[in-house]
């Protein structure tokens, strides 16, 4: 069974392999990261780790039983009890409920571990699979998304209000 893990430095090689193996697949639904992302991956990964350490973001990877990264599930721009959810799942894992299960788990973590009350996510209009994942995970439409936020493509914002979570645990923004 795949497991959602908080991103750590040791994940870097597997995350890079995941991004490279699925680059064309992702580019069909979301803006491509571009060659510069891959050329500067070690520095970009270090910057992600610094953002996580600062409590601005909380990054997670979905790891398969045999070790490869099957997906990335991120809480970004954490502020005032809210964050933006972003995720991507490997092509070979798509369509099997993996994204829905991981998004539901991340919603639970967002409330229980990070003390968040609201999550937002944006999808381009053509990304029906992502829209289904969000709906199954309890998100509702919240209005149009600025195309500038979605690589120039029109889209929709989704929102999920989270139940009051348990006290924030270790690694949560503001946690001891």
């Amino acid at each position: 069974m795949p497991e959602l893990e908080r991103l750590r430095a040791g994940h870097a090689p597997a995350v890079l392999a995941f991004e490279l193996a699925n680059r064309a697949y992702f580019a069909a639904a979301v803006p491509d990261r571009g060659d510069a992302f891959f050329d500067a991956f070690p520095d970009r990964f270090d910057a992600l780790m610094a953002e996580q350490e600062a409590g601005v973001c909380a990054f997670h990877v979905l790891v398969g039983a045999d070790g490869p990264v099957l997906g990335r599930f991120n809480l970004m721009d954490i502020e005032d009890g809210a964050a933006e959810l972003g995720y991507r799942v490997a092509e070979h894992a798509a369509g099997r409920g993996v994204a829905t299960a991981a998004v539901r788990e991340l919603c639970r973590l967002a409330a229980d571990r990070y003390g968040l009350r609201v999550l937002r996510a944006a999808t381009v209009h053509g990304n029906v699979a992502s829209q289904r994942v969000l709906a199954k995970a309890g998100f509702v439409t919240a209005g149009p998304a600025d195309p500038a936020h979605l690589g120039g493509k029109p889209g929709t914002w989704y929102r999920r209000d989270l139940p009051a979570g348990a006290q924030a645990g270790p690694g949560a923004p503001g946690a001891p």
Side-chain angles (χ1 to χ4, degrees):
M1 186 74 178
E3 202 168 318
L4 196 61
E5 298 178 5
R6 188 167 164 102
L7 187 68
R8 60 182 186 276
H11 287 127
V15 169
L16 179 57
F18 164 81
E19 291 288 350
L20 286 168
N22 292 283
R23 184 176 182 181
Y25 172 67
F26 295 147
V30 295
D32 183 57
R33 294 193 186 278
D35 292 337
F37 173 86
F38 297 99
D39 293 343
F41 183 80
D43 293 333
R44 294 188 63 92
F45 192 88
D46 289 346
L48 292 177
M49 296 305 298
E51 284 183 81
Q52 182 166 269
E53 182 66 29
V56 176
C57 299
F59 302 109
H60 299 80
V61 289
L62 186 66
V63 180
D66 51 354
V69 170
L70 300 176
R72 295 180 66 182
F73 296 83
N74 304 316
L75 300 172
M76 301 162 293
D77 301 328
I78 297 171
E79 186 176 4
D80 297 327
E84 183 177 336
L85 167 69
Y87 59 92
R88 49 183 57 206
V89 174
E91 183 174 19
H92 73 276
R96 299 187 345 219
V98 170
T100 300
V103 168
R104 285 177 176 154
E105 175 65 9
L106 191 55
C107 288
R108 186 192 64 73
L109 289 173
D112 293 349
R113 182 179 295 168
Y114 304 118
L116 299 177
R117 297 179 310 276
V118 175
L119 293 181
R120 291 178 8 126
T123 67
V124 297
H125 288 160
N127 193 343
V128 176
S130 189
Q131 294 161 16
R132 277 194 293 249
V133 166
L134 292 171
K136 288 179 183 178
F139 285 76
V140 296
T141 58
D146 184 344
H149 189 79
L150 295 168
K153 297 179 181 180
T156 303
W157 277 108
Y158 294 81
R159 175 186 170 113
R160 178 169 172 189
D161 293 329
L162 302 172
Q167 280 199 324

